[in-house]
Amino acid sequence: MVSPVKKVNRLKLQLEVKWFLAIFIVTIITILILSRVITIALSRLYQTVAETSSQNVAIQLASLMSAAGSVVNRIEIEYVPSNEILYDIKVDNRGKEVEVKAKFPQIYIEKITSEAKFCTSFDSQEVQDVNKFVIEKYEENGKVYYRLLARRISK
């Protein structure tokens, strides 16, 4: 016959194992939920940064393009928003707007295009994967010309 003390000890041990398993399962579920929430939060944060980056560069570039028109004679403005982030730029002379798309290395970030207006006469053009911009105004034969040069600089 089994003594009551051994029965109690066995029941106590079984109860401890059940509690341990319950706590372990709850911990695993909590970690999975938190990792999903953190992933979603980071993804939204990166997306916001990408949108803001496109907007800021579009606004800054359009402002510099417009400012070039107020300068007498010749000017050269160099603008490097970031060494790490590349941009696709599209200048539309008819609509007087510049479109900028920031290209982050993370594949899950949606590439958002931002637009800004400018008020000078730049030629329509489209360049990809650049991060350095030079805005030039020069005069030749009595006519004023504006030019946007863009290129990629390495890290």
Side-chain angles (χ1 to χ4, degrees), residues 54-106:
S54 292
Q55 288 172 347
N56 288 342
V57 171
I59 291 169
Q60 187 70 19
L61 199 53
S63 297
L64 292 172
M65 291 166 77
S66 296
S70 64
V71 175
V72 179
N73 297 329
R74 179 178 166 78
I75 186 170
E76 186 175 306
I77 302 170
E78 187 175 303
Y79 173 52
V80 181
S82 172
N83 287 341
E84 293 84 27
I85 303 168
L86 298 177
Y87 299 91
D88 289 348
I89 306 294
K90 182 180 179 184
V91 177
D92 180 19
N93 190 29
R94 286 178 289 135
K96 300 279 190 203
E97 68 183 14
V98 60
E99 294 179 2
V100 177
K101 184 189 305 182
K103 298 172 81 175
F104 285 80
Q106 291 84 359

Side-chain angles (χ1 to χ4, degrees), residues 6-65:
K6 286 185 178 180
K7 269 187 173 179
V8 169
N9 283 340
R10 194 173 338 146
L11 286 173
K12 190 176 177 184
L13 183 63
Q14 288 176 350
L15 188 61
E16 285 176 4
V17 168
K18 286 180 183 177
W19 272 104
F20 173 76
L21 286 176
I23 290 172
F24 181 74
I25 291 171
V26 167
T27 303
I28 294 295
I29 291 172
T30 304
I31 288 172
L32 290 174
I33 290 171
L34 285 178
S35 68
R36 178 72 178 145
V37 167
I38 289 171
T39 303
I40 290 171
L42 284 176
S43 156
R44 287 187 181 159
L45 176 67
Y46 280 137
Q47 189 64 43
T48 303
V49 168
E51 290 174 25
T52 304
S53 178
S54 292
Q55 288 172 347
N56 288 342
V57 171
I59 291 169
Q60 187 70 19
L61 199 53
S63 297
L64 292 172
M65 291 166 77

